[in-house]
Structures are given as C-alpha cells and as structure tokens.
Amino acid sequence: MTSFQYTVPTDGLTIEHLLREQWEAGKKTVHFMRMSKSVTGVDGEPVEWKFPQKAGTELTFTVPDAHSTYTPEKMNLKVIFEDEHILVVFKPAGIATHPNDSNQTGTLMNYVMAYVKENGGEYAEHIHRLDQGTAGVILIAKHPIAKTLFDRMIERNEIVRKYQAETDGLMKRPKGTINLPIGKDRHQPSKRLVSISGQSAVTHFRVLERKTDTTIVEAELETGRTHQIRVHLAHLGHPVVGDVLYDGSRTKDGYFRLNATALSFTHPLTGEQLNIEQ
C-alpha cells in the first residue's frame, strides 16, 4: 500500500469524478479503493465518493498493490527533485535505465528502488527512459496514480524534455525542426533509421556553440522514439560525438556526448509549474 495527500483544487469535485474522469485510474484500482474506503479526510474517516468536496479540502488516498519488483541495489543516487508523487534523478552514462529481466541488477531502477525502500516506500516506476550511453534527468513515479497521469502526459507531449548534444562537424543551420519518421533497421536490430514506414518523430534543435570541428546543440523532443535525437542528427550529417552506432567519431571513454538536461511540466497532482534542470 502507498498513501499520498491531495488538496481539492475546486468546489464541487467528487472522489468518483476525480479518479474516473480526471485521473483515469485503472478500473481495478478504483474498485479496490471504493470497496476498501481508502480515501479519507483529515479526521481519518472515509469520504463519501459522490459527495461534492470544497476547494482546499485535504484528502488522503491509499493505493492498493503499490509495490515494484526491481531488486534494490545500494548506490549513490543523485536526486534532483522529490515530492510524495515523483522523483527526478540523474542517470550517469554507461548504465541502463531499467533491467531487461527480473534478475538483472546494476541499472538505474535498482538504485532508485533501494533509495525508495530506505525512505519507507515500495513503489517506483520510470516514466521515460534514456539510452545506456546517455546521461541526464529521468522522471520516476512513486505511486500508480502518478504513473498513470505522467504516462498520459508523455503521450500528449505535455512534458518538455531538453537535451544537449555535441555533434561531429560544424552545423550551418542555427535552428530547425526535424520531422522524419523513425523505424527499425531490419539488418541490425539494435539500430534505428529514418524510414517512411516508421513512427512519426519530431525533434526541434538550435545551435548553442560551434567549436573547431564540433557543434553543441540543444534538442527538444516532441515525440519519444528510440534513439530519436541520435538518428535525426545523424541523418543531418552531424552524428553525436562518440555514437559509433550512427557513425559518430570515437571518444576515449567510449561514451557519446548526449545529455538529458531539463524537464518542464505542470504537476498534475499539485498544479505547480516545474522546470527541473540537471
């Protein structure tokens, strides 16, 4: 079980409308919460689901089956932002975002799970992911309702994700938008390419600095396809430095120069506008 606090934002809102219509919580979750009377007021008493609440009313929601199965693994974790709904953490280059099977360790989510458990929690799920070679900020949900809300925000492009990349060559265009679909490379499963039969993909970019033979670029995702920035920049003839999969020049440490630098969004559970930077 996981509990969180919520302040009713407007007069007349009912628990049923909030869960079913606004948050679109899963049917199983909604049924359990109603049957177990797991929405309570400040006095600890269950709240009537169809009773209109007043703005400013403090409620406690207790969510069922709120636990994750990642094996906790202790590691220094850089936490950039945290409240009772979400974490924003820094992922170093060279580690995977999450395990590919239940026995895998050494991933960011193993470290996040250890941190969450140390602080009394049982649940942590990533909202998006970064490639193993990419460093930067990742958003984590701390309970299933937050997971549902933020997943929907990602689908609707309501979370602005900014990246900074160092690319090979001197990019002439000061800014632009790359609107080219991305699909799988049938000859190399781990690779993606621009393909008319692929999924739509949109990347906005602008040049921050031109060096001797490389360019520093800020990129903003409108969609979130696998390897999207890497594929789009390589297609322009300016692959990310170190990204040998897409013909980028090699680096001494073997990592490519791509960092997720910032997240911006309106918090769906607090209404706060957040601009979180690495």
Side-chain angles (χ1 to χ4, degrees), residues 207-258:
V207 171
L208 299 179
E209 180 185 357
R210 293 182 180 89
K211 296 188 173 184
T212 304
D213 53 10
T214 63
T215 304
I216 305 298
V217 176
E218 181 182 78
E220 182 179 316
L221 290 180
E222 192 170 305
T223 54
R225 308 307 177 200
T226 300
H227 299 181
Q228 179 173 317
I229 292 173
R230 299 162 61 189
V231 172
H232 274 170
L233 291 177
H235 188 79
L236 292 185
H238 297 282
V240 175
V241 171
D243 190 3
V244 294
L245 182 63
Y246 295 103
D247 299 320
S249 59
R250 292 187 177 276
T251 55
K252 290 182 179 180
D253 60 13
Y255 300 141
F256 46 81
R257 303 298 184 246
L258 178 62

Side-chain angles (χ1 to χ4, degrees), residues 67-79:
H67 63 274
S68 299
T69 58
Y70 304 112
T71 301
E73 187 175 3
K74 180 65 177 174
M75 181 70 128
N76 289 333
L77 185 71
K78 182 179 178 182
V79 177

Side-chain angles (χ1 to χ4, degrees), residues 93-139:
I95 67 170
T97 297
H98 57 84
N100 289 320
D101 59 63
S102 59
N103 297 319
Q104 185 180 351
T105 56
T107 76
L108 180 73
M109 289 309 300
N110 296 115
Y111 307 147
V112 168
M113 200 69 240
Y115 174 85
V116 167
K117 280 185 170 289
E118 280 184 356
N119 289 277
E122 294 289 334
Y123 183 97
E125 295 294 342
H126 56 93
I127 301 301
H128 57 114
R129 60 180 293 276
L130 296 177
D131 298 333
Q132 186 161 328
T134 302
V137 293
I138 288 189
L139 177 61

Side-chain angles (χ1 to χ4, degrees), residues 162-225:
K162 290 185 178 181
Y163 294 72
Q164 193 171 113
E166 183 173 8
T167 67
D168 286 315
L170 297 179
M171 192 177 291
K172 293 180 179 180
R173 295 169 61 187
K175 62 180 180 179
T177 295
I178 310 166
N179 187 353
L180 295 168
I182 292 175
K184 291 183 178 181
D185 185 334
R186 60 181 181 177
H187 302 295
Q188 196 169 351
S190 63
K191 194 174 182 179
R192 299 295 187 272
L193 45 71
V194 168
S195 168
I196 58 172
S197 62
Q199 294 178 297
S200 63
V202 180
T203 305
H204 307 285
F205 71 91
R206 67 185 181 98
V207 171
L208 299 179
E209 180 185 357
R210 293 182 180 89
K211 296 188 173 184
T212 304
D213 53 10
T214 63
T215 304
I216 305 298
V217 176
E218 181 182 78
E220 182 179 316
L221 290 180
E222 192 170 305
T223 54
R225 308 307 177 200

